[in-house]
Amino acid sequence: GDQEGWTTLGISASQVTGGNFRIISGGCDPHVISPDNLGLGLTWIQKVYVKVKNGSSSTAARIYFQTDSNPSFSQASSVLFTVTANDSVFQTYEIDMSTNANWTGTLKRLRLDIPDQGDSSGSEILIDRIAVGESGNRPNIVSGGVKVA
């Protein structure tokens, strides 16, 4: 498998297997980061869709974003969302990014923190898809080429 340019931090192990990006949390604040310079104009894009199986006990996840005018990851450029803890199946979460006033301009990068807070050492997180602007229900076809696995 290929991570498609996505990188990890706070992860003790990661691999692409069975079409999913499998990560094992190394503790607090594990996250995956998209390739840079995605170049997506956000004028008509309001949603990000994340299809994931959360093996941690946390119900909090967060999407951070960088734009041409806000080129750093920060709480001010993020949206918190709720996920199912200790999930046995994949869930698709629809995150309304337009709730954050900084979601404007051109998207450079995304970062997914799952779980967002707390010690999740050893927890397995399986990411099937991160889609910007469309649900990504079609296999591995995602707006702007942003995909995992």
Side-chain angles (χ1 to χ4, degrees):
D2 183 344
Q3 291 183 197
E4 308 277 340
W6 289 72
T7 57
T8 62
L9 283 174
I11 306 294
S12 63
S14 68
Q15 72 183 78
V16 176
T17 180
N20 300 307
F21 191 12
R22 177 181 180 261
I23 59 174
I24 304 297
S25 174
C28 295
D29 199 27
H31 51 273
V32 297
I33 303 170
S34 77
D36 201 1
N37 298 313
L38 296 174
L40 293 173
L42 298 177
T43 302
W44 305 109
I45 298 175
Q46 296 182 341
K47 308 281 174 89
V48 169
Y49 298 85
V50 176
K51 185 175 181 183
V52 65
K53 183 162 63 169
N54 175 26
S56 80
S57 59
S58 176
T59 59
R62 185 178 296 269
I63 294 272
Y64 290 85
F65 58 92
Q66 294 177 352
T67 64
D68 50 354
S69 58
N70 288 300
S72 299
F73 290 123
S74 69
Q75 292 281 89
S77 293
S78 72
V79 175
L80 184 68
F81 64 102
T82 302
V83 293
T84 302
N86 301 308
D87 214 341
S88 60
V89 297
F90 280 92
Q91 306 281 348
T92 299
Y93 299 96
E94 179 183 274
I95 303 101
D96 186 355
M97 303 302 289
S98 68
T99 61
N100 186 306
N102 291 324
W103 183 256
T104 61
T106 302
L107 182 64
K108 289 179 53 62
R109 232 173 180 185
L110 286 176
R111 173 178 139 186
L112 172 64
D113 287 28
I114 184 166
D116 181 49
Q117 300 172 11
D119 187 356
S120 59
S121 292
S123 296
E124 178 183 69
I125 312 297
L126 293 173
I127 303 168
D128 179 56
R129 187 169 290 111
I130 299 172
V132 178
E134 59 180 78
S135 68
N137 287 329
R138 294 173 286 159
N140 295 330
I141 300 173
V142 181
S143 177
V146 180
K147 71 174 185 171
V148 172

